[in-house]
């Protein structure tokens, strides 16, 4: 059975939707600006989930990144897209969803020449179920103290996704995050 075609929302430079494209074909050396999201998932102890992208991923395989990312489908709310991806990628549910960097945007090129070019609002959430990551999405995962993550990214930025290395300085103020799990 062929998986359903997944579409992404294409954007004009000002962030307004201008069409859709097949997700399987949109990421290339000439990726158009499109809509995405990143989510940083916390547990009840204030630790953040970091995941290592599966080796079969088309972009940045094997690097460590935030908890999960995705693309809202045309007409899908961010909240519904985040809930869908939490289930599809991590086998879990989320609650307490907060937009923390609603205007985050980046462009990056991986070692194979594939470009990510996204308006990518960043959210935090709390896990609301068991964690059961899907192998095709996640090679490894770990709950870490946010300060440890920040130190790891500072020490070895090449081991992390470019969007995570760009998000963390914007997420963390000069003072350390509170133990509540909110950035």
């Amino acid at each position: 059975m062929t998986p359903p075609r997944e579409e992404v929302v294409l954007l004009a430079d000002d962030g307004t939707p201008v069409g859709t494209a097949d997700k399987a074909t949109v990421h290339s050396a000439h990726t158009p600006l499109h809509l995405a999201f990143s989510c940083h998932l916390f547990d009840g102890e204030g630790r953040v989930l970091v995941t290592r992208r599966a080796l079969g991923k088309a972009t940045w395989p094997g690097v460590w990144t935030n908890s999960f990312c995705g693309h809202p489908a045309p007409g899908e709310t961010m909240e519904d897209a985040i809930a869908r991806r939490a289930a599809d990628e991590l086998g879990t549910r989320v609650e307490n969803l907060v937009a923390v960097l609603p205007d985050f945007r980046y462009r990056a090129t991986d070692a194979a020449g594939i470009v990510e070019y996204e308006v990518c609002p960043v959210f935090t959430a709390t896990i609301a179920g068991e964690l059961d990551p899907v192998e095709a999405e996640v090679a490894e995962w770990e709950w870490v103290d946010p300060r440890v993550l920040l130190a790891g990214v500072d020490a070895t930025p090449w081991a992390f996704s470019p969007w995570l290395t760009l998000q963390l300085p914007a997420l963390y103020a000069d003072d350390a995050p509170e133990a509540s799990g909110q950035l």
Side-chain angles (χ1 to χ4, degrees), residues 50 64 144-177:
V50 291
W64 287 91
V144 299
D145 181 297
R147 293 170 211 71
V148 172
L149 175 59
L150 190 56
V153 169
D154 283 345
T156 58
W158 46 265
F160 296 88
S161 69
W163 55 92
L164 180 64
T165 63
L166 293 168
Q167 290 169 6
L168 286 181
L171 287 173
Y172 290 93
D174 290 334
D175 50 24

Side-chain angles (χ1 to χ4, degrees), residues 46-85:
R47 299 176 300 177
V48 65
L49 179 69
V50 291
T51 59
R52 185 169 164 248
R53 293 171 61 84
L55 296 177
K57 297 291 275 184
T59 58
W60 284 275
V63 301
W64 287 91
T65 193
N66 58 291
S67 307
F68 65 102
C69 298
H71 301 86
E76 183 179 35
T77 67
M78 278 292 181
E79 293 78 9
D80 288 345
I82 292 168
R84 174 178 51 83
R85 287 302 298 163

Side-chain angles (χ1 to χ4, degrees), residues 7 12 39-41 52 58 72 83 85 91 95 97 100 102 110 127 137-138 144 149 183:
E7 292 204 329
C39 189
H40 297 256
L41 189 59
R52 185 169 164 248
R85 287 302 298 163
E95 60 188 13
L97 189 64
V100 291
D110 79 356
I127 193 166
E137 298 288 342
V138 178
V144 299
L149 175 59
L183 298 174

Side-chain angles (χ1 to χ4, degrees), residues 22 74 105 145:
D22 184 345
R105 176 181 182 148
D145 181 297

Side-chain angles (χ1 to χ4, degrees), residues 56-150:
K57 297 291 275 184
T59 58
W60 284 275
V63 301
W64 287 91
T65 193
N66 58 291
S67 307
F68 65 102
C69 298
H71 301 86
E76 183 179 35
T77 67
M78 278 292 181
E79 293 78 9
D80 288 345
I82 292 168
R84 174 178 51 83
R85 287 302 298 163
D88 291 352
E89 194 167 322
L90 298 175
T92 195
R93 294 174 291 107
V94 300
E95 60 188 13
N96 305 318
L97 189 64
V98 177
V100 291
L101 296 174
D103 299 320
F104 182 75
R105 176 181 182 148
Y106 75 101
R107 186 180 190 282
T109 306
D110 79 356
I114 297 175
V115 173
E116 280 285 10
Y117 187 30
E118 299 177 335
V119 171
C120 185
V122 179
F123 294 82
T124 59
T126 307
I127 193 166
E130 295 298 315
L131 189 62
D132 187 19
V134 175
E135 281 184 30
E137 298 288 342
V138 178
E140 297 178 64
W141 56 273
E142 189 165 337
W143 291 102
V144 299
D145 181 297
R147 293 170 211 71
V148 172
L149 175 59
L150 190 56

Side-chain angles (χ1 to χ4, degrees), residues 12-43:
D13 194 51
D14 67 0
T16 58
V18 295
T20 63
D22 184 345
K23 180 185 170 199
T25 63
V26 77
H27 295 97
S28 69
H30 307 287
T31 302
L33 182 63
H34 61 280
L35 186 59
F37 67 83
S38 288
C39 189
H40 297 256
L41 189 59
F42 289 86
D43 67 6

